[in-house]
Amino acid sequence: MSEKLRFLLSRLFRKTWWRCALFSLFAFLAVALSAVIGPSIPQSVAMQLGSESIDSLLGILASSMLTVAIFSATTMVASFSAVSNSATPRASQLLIEDSTVQNTLAAFIGAFLYSVIALVGLHAHVYGEGGRLVLFGFTLAMLVFVVVVLLRWIDYLSVLGRLGETIRRVELATQRAMVQRLAKPWLGGRPQPDGARGRHAVQAPTTGFVQHVSMDLLQRRAEALGTTLHLHVLPGAFVEPSVVLASCDTPLDEDDRKAIADALVIGTGRSFDHDPRFGLVVMGEIAARAMSASVNDPGTALDVMATAVKTLVYWIETQRTGGEGAAGTGSAEDATAGPEFDRVSAPALREAGMVEDVFAPLARYGAEAVEVGVVLQRALASLRRMDHPPFNGPLEDLSRYAIARAEHAGAMPYDVQLLRDAAAGRTPAR
C-alpha cells in the first residue's frame, strides 16, 4: 500500500460519517444475530427467563436516542463555532476530527437505529421466544453501553470547545508532527544540497497547499527513469501552477509529469499531519486574536507563549536525543542505514521559520502591552539558553524587533528599559 493511499485512508477514517456508519452496521448485525441465534435456544428456557418488557425498552431507547443524538450534534456545531471565534478557525479542524466526539455521536445514532430496526422486527413477528430473549440481552447490553457513553460525554462537555483545551490540542498535534519529521528529516529521502535543481521541472497542477508527499511513488518513478528526483516543496507549502514541485535531469513525458504530480496531495488548506510549522502558526494566530482590541486577553497570549516555548524545547530535546542530521535534524537510523528513498532528495525544514511563525505575531500585535512584551522577551531568552544554532539568529532578531515595535507604539522609556532588561535576563522571573 502506497503512502498516499494510507494518508487518504487515514483522512477517511477520521470522518464522522464513517464512524456513524460503522456503529450503525454493528447495530444491524446485533438485530440480525437475534433472529439467527434465537431458534437454537430451547423454548422452555426462553419462557422461564421471560422478555415481555422488550417492547417498552426499545420504545424508550428509540425516542431518547434520537433526542440525545440531535442534542449532541447541536453541541458539536456550537463547539466548532466557539473554537473558531475564541481561538482560530484553523484549530477547529482538530475538534472536528476528535475521536471522542465522533464516537459519541456514532454511538447514539447506532443505538437509535438498533432500537428502530428491532421494533420493526418485533412488530413483524420476525422473532420467536428465543429470538426475543436474545434481543432482550442485546438491548440490555446496549443500554449499559449508552449509559457509559453518556456519562463520558457529560464529563467531556466540561472541556469541549474551551480555549485552554484548544491550545492543548494544538500543542499535541504539533508534537506529533514534530516526531514524524524528526524520524524522517528529509521525508525518508536524501538531503538536498543547496541550489540543487534539474533541467526538467514539474509544475503544480493546481493551486493549494501541499498536504502530503508520497516518497515511495516518487522513488518508484525515479527508478523507472533511472534518475534522481529533486523535491522542492514540503508539506505546508503553498503552490500554484508556476511553482516547481520537483525536477530532474532526465527528459520527462506527460505520463511522467502526471505521476510525479500525483505523488503530492494538494488541498485547500494546511494539515497538522505532516507539517510541524502549521501548529506553531495556529498558536501565533490564537495569540494574535487574543491581543486584538475586540478581545484584549493578554492572559491567553501568555499561555500561548508558555506552550510555544514548551513545544520548541520538545523539538530541540527530541532532536538531540534522536541523533544527528542535516540542519540539526535527523535520526540515528538515517545516519547508519542510509535513506529509505535513495533516488529522491528533499529539502530540510526551515527551522528559523518555526520561531517566526509563533513569536512574530506576538511581537507585532503585543507591542502596546508591556506585560506581554516582557514575557515575550523572557520566552525568547529561554530558548536562546537552549543554544540551538538554527534558532539563535531568529531569536535575536525577534527580540530586537519586539523592542523596536514597542518603541514605535509609544512605550514609555521605563517600559522600554524593562523590555531590554528582560531580553538581557536582568529581570526576576515571576
Side-chain angles (χ1 to χ4, degrees):
M1 184 184 296
S2 69
E3 291 182 349
K4 180 177 181 179
L5 182 57
R6 286 199 298 269
F7 172 75
L8 294 177
L9 285 177
S10 70
R11 298 293 298 270
L12 173 65
F13 292 154
R14 278 182 262 171
K15 300 293 185 181
T16 304
W17 69 263
W18 161 259
R19 296 177 187 265
C20 292
L22 190 61
F23 276 69
S24 300
L25 177 61
F26 288 154
F28 176 79
L29 290 176
V31 175
L33 280 175
S34 300
V36 173
I37 300 174
S40 62
I41 298 177
Q43 187 171 2
S44 59
V45 176
M47 294 293 291
Q48 288 177 358
L49 293 177
S51 54
E52 291 79 6
S53 60
I54 181 66
D55 289 45
S56 58
L57 282 176
L58 288 173
I60 294 172
L61 192 62
S63 59
S64 60
M65 284 301 98
L66 180 60
T67 304
V68 172
I70 294 174
F71 166 75
S72 299
T74 304
T75 303
M76 285 173 53
V77 174
S79 299
F80 301 159
S81 177
V83 169
S84 297
N85 293 330
S86 64
T88 170
R90 262 63 60 189
S92 61
Q93 175 184 339
L94 296 174
L95 192 59
I96 293 172
E97 297 178 351
D98 181 76
S99 60
T100 301
V101 174
Q102 294 182 355
N103 287 337
T104 299
L105 185 60
F108 294 153
I109 293 177
F112 169 71
L113 289 178
Y114 165 82
S115 56
V116 170
I117 296 172
L119 278 173
V120 171
L122 281 176
H123 288 266
H125 304 289
V126 173
Y127 308 104
E129 291 297 331
R132 290 174 63 91
L133 178 61
V134 176
L135 191 64
F136 182 70
F138 276 129
T139 303
L140 291 180
M142 182 66 71
L143 285 172
V144 173
F145 172 69
V146 166
V147 169
V148 172
V149 171
L150 188 58
L151 291 175
R152 185 186 179 193
W153 179 237
I154 292 172
D155 180 67
Y156 200 70
L157 288 177
S158 62
V159 298
L160 188 64
R162 301 296 187 269
L163 187 55
E165 175 67 11
T166 302
I167 296 173
R168 187 189 70 85
R169 288 172 185 267
V170 174
E171 176 191 356
L172 294 178
T174 306
Q175 290 182 356
R176 285 195 298 268
M178 286 178 170
V179 170
Q180 291 179 353
R181 180 55 58 87
L182 289 174
K184 294 183 177 181
W186 302 282
L187 307 181
R190 293 164 44 195
Q192 187 174 104
D194 293 338
R197 180 160 303 226
R199 295 191 301 272
H200 303 276
V202 177
Q203 277 82 19
T206 184
T207 300
F209 292 91
V210 177
Q211 296 179 343
H212 175 75
V213 178
S214 295
M215 296 291 283
D216 57 338
L217 297 181
L218 294 177
Q219 173 78 6
R220 196 177 306 163
R221 183 57 54 169
E223 290 174 348
L225 293 170
T227 188
T228 296
L229 279 174
H230 301 293
L231 180 69
H232 299 300
V233 293
L234 293 173
F238 178 77
V239 298
E240 34 84 14
S242 68
V243 174
V244 175
L245 301 179
S247 65
C248 66
D249 291 325
T250 302
L252 302 171
D253 58 24
E254 287 303 316
D255 290 339
D256 294 328
R257 295 179 185 276
K258 185 176 185 304
I260 292 172
D262 286 345
L264 283 74
V265 177
I266 300 175
T268 56
R270 296 175 73 170
S271 170
F272 289 92
D273 291 330
H274 307 291
D275 184 5
R277 289 183 58 179
F278 183 48
L280 296 169
V281 170
V282 172
M283 290 185 195
E285 289 181 355
I286 295 174
R289 183 185 290 265
M291 293 307 301
S292 65
S294 61
V295 178
N296 192 22
D297 181 16
T300 295
L302 303 186
D303 291 341
V304 169
M305 279 189 279
T307 303
V309 171
K310 179 182 175 182
T311 304
L312 292 173
V313 168
Y314 178 84
W315 167 268
I316 295 171
E317 292 181 342
T318 305
Q319 192 175 122
R320 288 175 178 173
T321 57
E324 299 296 331
T329 65
S331 65
E333 182 180 356
D334 291 327
T336 58
E340 181 181 359
F341 307 108
D342 59 345
R343 285 186 174 270
V344 183
S345 72
L349 182 70
R350 181 175 170 267
E351 294 189 59
M354 300 173 73
V355 175
E356 298 162 358
D357 290 337
V358 64
F359 290 119
L362 281 160
R364 186 177 304 115
Y365 299 109
E368 296 181 359
V370 178
E371 64 275 19
V372 173
V374 170
V375 175
L376 173 61
Q377 294 296 337
R378 290 175 182 163
L380 297 176
S382 297
L383 289 172
R384 283 200 302 272
R385 288 194 292 271
M386 296 297 296
D387 194 24
H388 186 58
F391 285 176
N392 290 340
L395 289 170
E396 291 284 353
D397 294 340
L398 276 171
S399 178
R400 290 191 292 268
Y401 172 71
I403 294 174
R405 292 282 304 193
E407 290 177 322
H408 182 73
M412 298 291 291
Y414 175 80
D415 294 333
V416 174
Q417 187 59 43
L418 281 179
L419 297 178
R420 297 186 188 279
D421 290 342
R426 291 194 294 265
T427 56
R430 288 182 289 179

